[in-house]
Amino acid sequence: KIIALTRKAPMCPKDPAFFEPPSCPFYSYESGQLSPYGAEGLGMLKCMNSLPQHDPMRLAQKFAENLKAYSGRLNHASKELIANIEAGKTFPECGANDSQANALVKVPFALPRFISDQDWAARMEEVIRVHQNHELAVEYGMASSYMLHHIISTGATVKEALNWAASESSPLSPDAKSKVKEALAFTGNEVEAAKSFGSSCALPGAFTVAVYILNTTETYEEAIRKNIMASGDQCSRSCLIGACLAASKGVECVPDDWVGRVTDMEEIDKEIKEMCS
């Protein structure tokens, strides 16, 4: 369907980025509006900024309040977190028994808070379990965290970070390393990759497709467009893809035109500056 939409005029195909009109079959949002994943990520960022000290239980309560006030589409993990908090469950049991790709989304928003801490990995696991208290979500959320942390802390390129993640010395789980290796070895195109690894929000498929996109592209724009064309749960994958590329190449790799078209950019910029201050 994506290919058909973008190629209705073969001599002048439409750009899949900020495609007009927005054509998601699951919800109707205005162009430039954050996807449910994006709104979830911004909500996590705001909640973390509101807490002077990291406290998983308070973060879970704050995040549930933020999600409950959200007027857009709530996913399963968010609904379950709200219900668990209202039922009086405490951390980590308040986190949803959910293993979907929301785990990838939280990583870029939370990692800067702990980037210089010795126990950053333990803190990131707590952030993931605040929303999704499921081993698969933790496994691939942490795999994503290790890759992004490696880029930021060592100055590695994206491809260097991927090769490091697949190496015997990396802290990724054996299964996560195996998925990185599969993605690095895949020779088909993006549509074939999504069909092979899984195009839905399920893990480890969403993680594996994201690694494939990162390995087969050079620029931020190319990666985001290729990810869109791969189809399926593009928004969750884009959070990890975009973060890795921006961390490696710098904020200037993100097109100014795209930044200007994001509805909530002023609020996002404010929250990012607060976390990084």
Side-chain angles (χ1 to χ4, degrees), residues 186-198 209 212 229-231:
F186 194 80
T187 58
N189 64 31
E190 62 271 24
V191 175
E192 293 165 338
K195 285 182 180 178
S196 177
F197 300 130
V209 176
Y212 163 83
M229 296 307 294
S231 78

Side-chain angles (χ1 to χ4, degrees), residues 13-186:
K14 282 193 173 184
D15 187 343
F18 292 93
F19 182 86
E20 296 288 356
S23 303
C24 176
F26 302 107
Y27 48 84
S28 297
Y29 282 14
E30 296 295 321
S31 181
Q33 186 177 352
L34 294 178
S35 71
Y37 285 123
E40 179 184 297
L42 176 58
M44 176 60 77
L45 178 61
K46 291 169 72 175
C47 291
M48 292 184 74
N49 280 342
S50 73
L51 296 173
Q53 300 294 326
H54 174 63
D55 180 337
M57 187 62 230
R58 287 291 296 128
L59 181 60
Q61 292 168 332
K62 287 271 189 184
F63 192 42
E65 291 170 11
N66 180 276
L67 293 168
K68 196 172 180 181
Y70 178 55
S71 60
R73 181 180 185 268
L74 280 181
N75 53 56
H76 172 265
S78 297
K79 292 176 182 177
E80 188 173 331
L81 171 64
I82 293 169
N84 287 346
I85 291 292
E86 290 180 342
K89 290 187 178 181
T90 57
F91 178 83
E93 286 73 22
C94 59
N97 181 29
D98 180 278
S99 63
Q100 297 184 85
N102 308 71
L104 312 183
V105 174
K106 290 179 272 293
V107 171
F109 295 93
L111 183 58
R113 174 75 175 263
F114 312 113
I115 193 68
S116 300
D117 295 358
Q118 248 186 337
D119 59 354
W120 72 267
R123 301 291 79 78
M124 284 301 297
E125 180 173 337
E126 288 173 344
V127 171
I128 294 165
R129 289 192 187 276
V130 157
H131 196 199
Q132 294 168 278
N133 188 32
H134 191 290
E135 296 311 312
L136 198 65
V138 171
E139 180 178 15
Y140 286 95
M142 289 309 299
S144 304
S145 299
Y146 283 123
M147 292 193 312
L148 184 57
H149 187 276
H150 188 73
I151 293 170
I152 296 170
S153 63
T154 70
T157 66
V158 168
K159 290 181 174 59
E160 286 170 346
L162 297 180
N163 287 322
W164 167 82
S167 71
E168 291 303 314
S169 62
S170 89
L172 274 69
S173 71
D175 285 346
K177 286 182 187 178
S178 176
K179 292 303 176 186
V180 173
K181 290 175 183 176
E182 286 180 37
L184 298 183
F186 194 80

Side-chain angles (χ1 to χ4, degrees), residues 204-269:
F207 169 82
T208 314
V209 176
V211 172
Y212 163 83
I213 297 292
L214 286 167
N215 188 53
T216 56
T217 53
E218 298 299 330
T219 69
Y220 187 96
E221 292 171 90
E222 180 192 7
I224 297 301
R225 288 188 174 109
K226 191 169 187 176
N227 181 51
I228 294 170
M229 296 307 294
S231 78
D233 200 44
Q234 312 145 22
C235 294
S236 65
R237 301 191 307 249
S238 283
C239 289
L240 177 59
I241 292 167
C244 287
L245 282 161
S248 174
K249 296 177 180 292
V251 68
E252 59 273 9
C253 78
V254 184
D256 288 339
D257 175 56
W258 289 9
V259 173
R261 294 167 77 174
V262 176
T263 306
D264 297 317
M265 198 61 231
E266 188 173 330
E267 183 180 14
I268 295 167
D269 189 55

